[in-house]
Amino acid sequence: MSTQPTADFWFDPVCPWAWMTSRWMDEVEKVRDVSVRWHVMSLAVLNEGRDLPQEYRDLMDRAWLPARTVVAAQEVYGDKVVKPLYDAIGTRIHPGGRTDWDAVVDEAVREVGLPEDVAGAGRTDAHDTALRASHAEGIGLVGEDVGTPVVAFGGVAFFGPVVTPAPKGEAAGRLWDGTLLVAGTPGFFEIKRTRTRGPVFD
């Protein structure tokens, strides 16, 4: 049985900043003694009942499909399908720049080798209890005033880091070390500066 330390990572498939952080975590796994468990959270759930601009509200309405699809796959086929399906969806949406999310989900499900009914389930609320539970677990660690991603490791949980481009190699490891250091400091809550550029997809 593996005793490798495990980090838990909550993402919404449509969030470009979560995508960037997930690419960083892929690098962290290569250079630090940690493995990652992947979980879905939902910006649509997070923003329920909030007064949003119509454009963002429309985006949240569309964001249900990718999140529901990943959770539907997880419920039936287990945790092992979460990351491959996230990668297949996210690669199309983020570096791929695709906005036809219905087609993206169908293609991603096929790429991962899952049956079409997984995408069909993602178009319903059949797995929303599991989606909301996964979301609540992640957001419960950091509070309602943040978003995705959420990372938990060794009794410490935090939102982010929000970073672009995703550091690679030992640079990714140093950011991991530093993030754990500041997030693990009692009473520490936030470091922030204005974003001066959008996600840089490799």
Side-chain angles (χ1 to χ4, degrees):
M1 179 180 291
S2 174
T3 59
Q4 187 178 34
T6 301
D8 290 282
F9 188 109
W10 282 265
F11 63 90
D12 185 308
V14 306
C15 176
W17 295 105
W19 178 257
M20 298 304 302
T21 309
S22 72
R23 302 309 93 179
W24 165 66
M25 282 303 306
D26 284 344
E27 292 291 313
V28 170
E29 282 190 292
K30 299 174 186 175
V31 296
R32 293 295 183 268
D33 185 25
V34 61
S35 62
V36 182
R37 278 187 302 240
W38 302 88
H39 312 267
V40 178
M41 61 183 295
S42 169
L43 290 173
V45 171
L46 183 67
N47 285 289
E48 281 181 322
R50 295 184 178 180
D51 185 19
L52 303 171
Q54 188 59 49
E55 182 179 0
Y56 194 71
R57 186 181 304 280
D58 292 343
L59 180 66
M60 291 301 95
D61 288 345
R62 297 177 61 224
W64 284 103
L65 172 60
R68 282 171 164 165
T69 301
V70 177
V71 170
Q74 181 181 27
E75 287 264 271
V76 177
Y77 298 99
D79 294 345
K80 66 183 182 296
V81 302
V82 173
K83 181 61 160 46
L85 188 52
Y86 176 34
D87 288 346
I89 292 171
T91 297
R92 288 169 168 82
I93 291 176
H94 302 301
R98 299 273 298 276
T99 58
D100 52 336
W101 292 354
D102 277 282
V104 161
V105 164
D106 291 339
E107 291 171 18
V109 165
R110 287 195 296 271
E111 178 184 319
V112 176
L114 297 172
E116 290 182 7
D117 60 5
V118 170
R123 292 180 170 90
T124 74
D125 62 2
H127 297 274
D128 278 12
T129 298
L131 172 58
R132 290 178 183 278
S134 181
H135 173 87
E137 183 182 10
I139 208 70
L141 298 173
V142 292
E144 294 284 340
D145 59 343
V146 298
T148 177
V150 170
V151 181
F153 180 77
V156 172
F158 48 89
F159 161 68
V162 176
V163 61
T164 188
K168 293 181 171 55
E170 185 56 24
R174 288 195 301 271
L175 178 57
W176 175 249
D177 298 339
T179 301
L180 294 182
L181 178 63
V182 297
T185 301
F188 174 83
F189 295 106
E190 187 172 5
I191 290 177
K192 192 169 184 177
R193 58 184 172 187
T194 300
R195 298 176 199 173
T196 58
R197 54 181 165 169
V200 176
F201 303 119
D202 296 327

